[in-house]
Amino acid sequence: MKMIDIDKIPLSPQFNITMRCNRYIGPNACTSCYVRDILSIYKNGSEDMPLETFQRFMKLFRESPYNIDTIVLIGGDPPQHKHFNEILDSCPYNIRLFTNGLYNKNKRDVMLKHAKKMKPIFIHYDDFNDCRTSDTIHDNIMAMVDSEAKIAF
């Protein structure tokens, strides 16, 4: 029997970097959202993983013998993290991002800056027919499609 060399297996650590989301309040919450059920355990201001914690993990991974291929960012909605730009800047790996697509132009510009390492951006949204948000999602998706980022639904 051949042994598997665990150091060669590509790994994709997952980070829940924020509990913030612009959808989980009230009846507009996504049906699959787990954040709204656990949000009450987080006190105001502690919804985000500290930037220093994320950077410490990146340093540990770079120094480890493991084959880290991709970092998975989940949340809430990761672009809502108050240091989202710095998190993307400090990540030397490919990024798989799960988002609802409702981020503002500043966050979109940050993502476009890192488009080459976004592999892919998963857009999860319950109601694309919601006229209050469909234009924002459309604009964000089209900007990503025009870049080097990959989009999945």
Side-chain angles (χ1 to χ4, degrees), residues 72-83:
V72 181
L73 299 180
I74 64 169
D77 189 50
Q80 305 306 318
H81 190 289
K82 59 187 169 189
H83 297 294

Side-chain angles (χ1 to χ4, degrees), residues 46-86:
S46 65
E47 299 95 357
D48 291 340
M49 171 188 279
L51 174 61
E52 298 77 23
T53 301
F54 184 81
Q55 290 172 332
R56 201 169 332 127
F57 274 110
M58 295 305 103
K59 183 177 188 287
L60 285 170
F61 292 156
R62 282 191 306 271
E63 295 170 355
S64 79
Y66 300 110
N67 182 16
I68 307 296
D69 176 61
T70 301
I71 299 296
V72 181
L73 299 180
I74 64 169
D77 189 50
Q80 305 306 318
H81 190 289
K82 59 187 169 189
H83 297 294
F84 185 64
N85 186 25
E86 292 88 349

Side-chain angles (χ1 to χ4, degrees), residues 4-144:
I4 297 173
D5 186 356
I6 196 165
D7 296 347
K8 304 289 186 240
I9 297 173
L11 301 176
S12 298
Q14 178 172 294
F15 290 90
N16 188 333
I17 63 169
T18 188
M19 300 306 277
R20 298 172 195 266
C21 183
N22 47 6
R23 285 280 306 183
Y24 60 58
I25 304 301
N28 292 329
C30 295
T31 56
S32 62
C33 181
Y34 65 92
V35 172
R36 65 180 171 201
D37 297 329
I38 61 173
L39 189 62
S40 62
I41 64 173
Y42 287 84
K43 296 194 175 17
N44 225 356
S46 65
E47 299 95 357
D48 291 340
M49 171 188 279
L51 174 61
E52 298 77 23
T53 301
F54 184 81
Q55 290 172 332
R56 201 169 332 127
F57 274 110
M58 295 305 103
K59 183 177 188 287
L60 285 170
F61 292 156
R62 282 191 306 271
E63 295 170 355
S64 79
Y66 300 110
N67 182 16
I68 307 296
D69 176 61
T70 301
I71 299 296
V72 181
L73 299 180
I74 64 169
D77 189 50
Q80 305 306 318
H81 190 289
K82 59 187 169 189
H83 297 294
F84 185 64
N85 186 25
E86 292 88 349
I87 283 176
L88 297 186
D89 282 343
S90 64
C91 183
Y93 305 102
N94 292 325
I95 297 169
R96 188 172 303 135
L97 176 72
F98 288 79
T99 178
N100 61 27
L102 286 173
Y103 38 84
N104 63 32
K105 184 179 180 324
N106 292 339
K107 298 288 183 171
R108 182 174 68 209
D109 290 345
V110 167
M111 293 169 67
L112 287 170
K113 179 175 121 183
H114 296 281
K116 284 184 180 180
K117 62 182 176 180
M118 297 285 197
K119 301 189 179 180
I121 298 169
F122 287 93
I123 306 274
H124 170 77
Y125 194 75
D126 281 355
D127 188 5
F128 283 107
N129 295 316
D130 183 345
C131 63
R132 295 169 295 156
T133 58
S134 60
D135 288 343
T136 301
I137 293 172
H138 174 268
D139 292 347
N140 287 336
I141 289 172
M142 293 313 297
M144 293 298 132

